[in-house]
Amino acid sequence: VATHSYGDDRLRHYRQLILTEAAGPESIAFDCNREGPYTGVSDGRILKWNAATGGWTEFAVTSKAGKRVICDGLNDPKLEQICGRPLGLKFDKRTCDLYIADAYFGLLRVGPNGGVAQKLATSANGVPFRLTNSVDIDEETGVVYFTDSTIFFQRWQYVLSIISSDKTGRLMKYDPRSKKVTVLLNGIAFANGVALSKDKSFVIVAETGKSRILRYWLQGQKSQTTEVFAQLGRFPDNIKRKDNGEFWVGLNSGRGILQKFVASKLQYEGVSPWLTQDVVAVRLDEKGKAMEMLDGKGEKTFGSVSEVEENEGTLWVGSVVTPYVGILKP
């Protein structure tokens, strides 16, 4: 496993896009014209980076205008259920619509011109979503794959979900033609990031509570079965697929009590980079093999990495807590 390239070379070219209001750019997305990045922040807004002006502009909101007086610029987890908290983002490249997994409001969609997002789904099989988390799209069929982390705990209680060994997370799909939600897999220990394979034969989902990635087969002889895709040494968060079919997995373990909790649960043979390196993201191939690790070198800027999105060779680094988006150029 290569652990040096991004950790050493790219850190020299690291810079940040500062958020002047709100914080926590959890997920990164680029639209059908390759413009962006777009990101969701703590006050319920989706922001778009304007390279020409060097600043952020509001693109969409997850709650109606009447609440914006309370919400704009907010960074208070206790008010997220009023303002919304957009987590996973993904553009449908066919329609230019943006799909949003909002932790409190469910699966949402907003058109190419932005505005107030429309609710698409808030429950499955009669069970309400409690922490809608991540989203990916089959751009041929328009089917949306997304996760609900737990049916018991809201986002501000996520640590309780993990340390209590809650296993109520769900992987689901939403069909925009029938407007139907189907549960593909349940019993997941904090269902988190999700990504469809390049050939659309399987979808992978982060099972954060067990520090691993699961693969759910959509096609072939193994259709509708599940297996472990990769066992990790950190808590996986969002997953983003590269154009070549590989996957970047953000590892949002922090460097405190949660990481100690992971280390106490896993057994290693010999010297493991999970113990000797400050691994904040890992690149996996289509078989789940670790190809490269991003070593944060203990830098404060990488204390909470939720996502790594690769766009034209540049790595865009998201975080659910920091007031900036990180950029790592080749």
Side-chain angles (χ1 to χ4, degrees), residues 31-33 35 38 46 48 57-61 91 95-98 109-117:
D31 64 25
C32 57
N33 298 314
E35 293 182 1
Y38 296 73
I46 311 297
K48 178 184 179 181
T57 57
E58 181 179 301
F59 174 71
V61 293
F91 276 95
T95 64
C96 295
D97 291 338
L98 175 64
R109 180 177 61 203
V110 66
N113 297 319
V116 180

Side-chain angles (χ1 to χ4, degrees), residues 99-120:
Y99 284 82
I100 306 160
D102 186 284
Y104 298 88
F105 298 156
L107 182 65
L108 313 177
R109 180 177 61 203
V110 66
N113 297 319
V116 180
Q118 170 194 3
K119 286 186 182 180
L120 300 177

Side-chain angles (χ1 to χ4, degrees), residues 16-60:
Q16 298 170 350
L17 301 183
I18 303 298
L19 295 162
T20 55
E21 297 180 355
E26 156 87 5
S27 183
I28 309 296
F30 292 86
D31 64 25
C32 57
N33 298 314
R34 307 291 281 186
E35 293 182 1
Y38 296 73
T39 191
V41 292
S42 58
D43 62 3
R45 290 182 296 162
I46 311 297
L47 305 178
K48 178 184 179 181
W49 177 256
N50 188 322
T53 62
W56 297 94
T57 57
E58 181 179 301
F59 174 71

Side-chain angles (χ1 to χ4, degrees), residues 71-86:
C71 299
D72 284 358
L74 202 68
N75 190 13
D76 184 353
K78 294 180 181 179
L79 292 177
E80 287 180 348
Q81 55 191 314
I82 296 173
C83 303
R85 183 53 169 108

Side-chain angles (χ1 to χ4, degrees), residues 63-192:
S63 60
K64 294 184 179 180
K67 299 178 182 178
R68 302 318 308 170
V69 176
I70 302 172
C71 299
D72 284 358
L74 202 68
N75 190 13
D76 184 353
K78 294 180 181 179
L79 292 177
E80 287 180 348
Q81 55 191 314
I82 296 173
C83 303
R85 183 53 169 108
L87 297 179
L89 303 180
K90 186 71 175 184
F91 276 95
D92 185 336
K93 299 300 172 61
R94 304 172 312 153
T95 64
C96 295
D97 291 338
L98 175 64
Y99 284 82
I100 306 160
D102 186 284
Y104 298 88
F105 298 156
L107 182 65
L108 313 177
R109 180 177 61 203
V110 66
N113 297 319
V116 180
Q118 170 194 3
K119 286 186 182 180
L120 300 177
T122 58
S123 67
N125 297 340
V127 180
F129 303 153
R130 194 68 171 168
L131 204 173
T132 324
N133 199 318
S134 188
V135 61
D136 200 5
I137 301 171
D138 183 332
E139 293 173 356
E140 290 184 5
T141 65
V143 168
V144 180
Y145 296 91
F146 68 107
T147 55
D148 184 37
S149 296
T150 167
I151 66 171
F152 294 122
F153 299 93
Q154 290 190 312
R155 195 193 79 83
W156 62 276
Q157 301 169 304
Y158 80 95
V159 174
L160 290 177
S161 174
I162 294 173
I163 65 177
S164 68
S165 300
D166 170 47
K167 299 181 182 66
T168 60
R170 294 176 288 178
L171 169 65
M172 296 164 285
K173 70 175 183 178
Y174 170 81
D175 189 329
R177 293 167 295 187
S178 66
K179 298 181 171 55
K180 179 182 178 183
V181 176
T182 303
V183 177
L184 301 177
L185 185 63
N186 52 31
I188 303 171
F190 203 88
N192 208 324

Side-chain angles (χ1 to χ4, degrees), residues 195-204 214-219 229 245 247 285-287:
L196 181 66
S197 66
K198 186 175 182 179
D199 66 1
K200 301 175 176 54
S201 65
F202 63 88
V203 61
I204 59 174
L214 300 177
R215 169 160 47 192
Y216 179 86
W217 287 98
L218 300 169
Q219 302 174 15
F229 184 70
F247 304 95
D285 69 10
E286 292 174 288
K287 295 182 179 179

